[in-house]
Amino acid sequence: MGGTQASGTRTGDARSIRSGKDGRGGLGNVLSGLAVAIGFVLFLGGFVWGAVEYRPYTVPTDSMMPTVKPGDRVLAQRIDGGDVRRGDVVIFTDSAWSDSPMVKRVVGIGGDTVKCCGAGGELTVNGTPLDEPYIDGTKPSLGLEMPPGQAAPTGTPFEVTVPEGNLFLMGDRRGASLDSRAHLQEAGQGTVPRSAVSARVDALAWPSMSMLERPKTYESLPGGTSGHGPLLLQLVAVAAGAVLVVLGAAYGPVARVLGRGRRQERAGAR
């Protein structure tokens, strides 16, 4: 009689597994497998999308302090120079400046008149004073060497009308930045063509992670400021994918443990 009961129990357990009543078969397995598949697509897709849309870049100098410090790792969105707006921090290469990529902030675009300085000592664009709380106006260090015959100390008067298709660029550490002011005597008065821009800095990636805010002072000017790229959406996709993969993969082991507990309870009741 005992053997018949044991045989019946094993048959009932097998039937329960096939029908999915213990949570390890049927619809449960289908849903867990689907969650893992979707999770992998989101996780890998987010990474691939990010690799196509963004490029990492390490800032080598202190000319963009305090916004970006030397050694900071940034994520720059690959863009066309035509998408650049005032206030953007861009990566560009211009042989008249350097053979290496440089990082500066766009202060003026084609047609703008950039002037230093206004009545309060501030920079003006088309006569509008700029409120720039993000800049570092400290004096340059003794080790800063300017090109012969050129200088760009904070507050040095200048007035430039930016040619169409060009950009006027400055570092946030105004007293220690070799930027457009250091090339005023050259063709274009220190401006660079939009085509020299390869990317726009969207976020700081290391040692801290944060989005780079667009200066509000440029919002009132024609064209306004640029928006952020799809970085946050990509991060959400990667995070959601990871969660789905973990939950889907954990479903089987958890269901087995719960199913085993239920079988033991039934056996104890008999």
Side-chain angles (χ1 to χ4, degrees):
M1 183 177 296
T4 302
Q5 182 179 0
S7 176
T9 300
R10 287 194 297 270
T11 302
D13 290 343
R15 190 179 301 114
S16 177
I17 292 173
R18 287 194 299 270
S19 65
K21 291 180 179 179
D22 68 345
R24 291 186 288 122
L27 183 59
N29 277 343
V30 172
L31 293 178
S32 64
L34 186 61
V36 170
I38 294 175
F40 269 119
V41 171
L42 288 174
F43 186 81
L44 296 178
F47 269 115
V48 172
W49 185 14
V52 171
E53 192 78 19
Y54 289 88
R55 57 165 290 191
Y57 182 78
T58 301
V59 177
T61 69
D62 63 355
S63 68
M64 281 300 296
M65 288 179 61
T67 305
V68 185
K69 301 177 180 61
D72 279 0
R73 193 80 165 170
V74 301
L75 292 177
Q77 183 184 11
R78 304 174 196 267
I79 62 168
D80 181 84
D83 296 329
V84 174
R85 297 186 184 181
R86 302 179 192 89
D88 288 345
V89 176
V90 298
I91 296 176
F92 68 100
T93 305
D94 190 300
S95 58
W97 293 42
S98 172
D99 292 329
S100 302
M102 303 186 71
V103 183
K104 303 294 179 186
R105 188 182 296 277
V106 177
V107 175
I109 61 176
D112 285 346
T113 297
V114 182
K115 183 179 180 179
C116 181
C117 300
E122 65 280 281
L123 197 68
T124 67
V125 175
N126 302 329
T128 301
L130 299 182
D131 179 19
E132 300 181 287
Y134 49 82
I135 69 170
D136 179 354
T138 57
K139 295 182 178 181
S141 62
L142 296 177
L144 179 67
E145 296 182 1
M146 304 297 292
Q150 300 174 357
T154 301
T156 299
F158 68 86
E159 183 173 346
V160 173
T161 298
V162 184
E164 289 297 334
N166 282 25
L167 305 168
F168 193 86
L169 305 163
M170 297 177 71
D172 284 357
R173 193 179 184 194
R174 297 290 162 81
S177 174
L178 295 174
D179 48 39
S180 287
R181 297 168 299 167
H183 300 271
L184 293 175
Q185 306 306 316
E186 301 173 8
Q189 292 186 281
T191 63
V192 301
R194 284 179 174 269
S195 59
V197 175
S198 60
R200 175 173 53 213
V201 177
D202 211 14
L204 303 178
W206 190 90
S208 62
M209 182 69 183
S210 63
M211 300 299 292
L212 198 67
E213 295 301 322
R214 306 297 192 254
K216 295 185 180 301
T217 189
Y218 293 98
E219 292 179 352
S220 61
L221 295 173
T225 56
S226 63
H228 289 294
L231 181 60
L232 289 179
L233 184 58
Q234 293 164 357
L235 293 176
V236 169
V238 170
V243 170
L244 286 174
V245 169
V246 171
L247 292 178
Y251 174 81
V254 171
R256 281 194 293 272
V257 171
L258 294 177
R260 188 179 300 116
R262 287 195 294 268
R263 289 195 301 273
Q264 292 175 347
E265 290 177 0
R266 289 195 297 268
R270 286 194 293 270

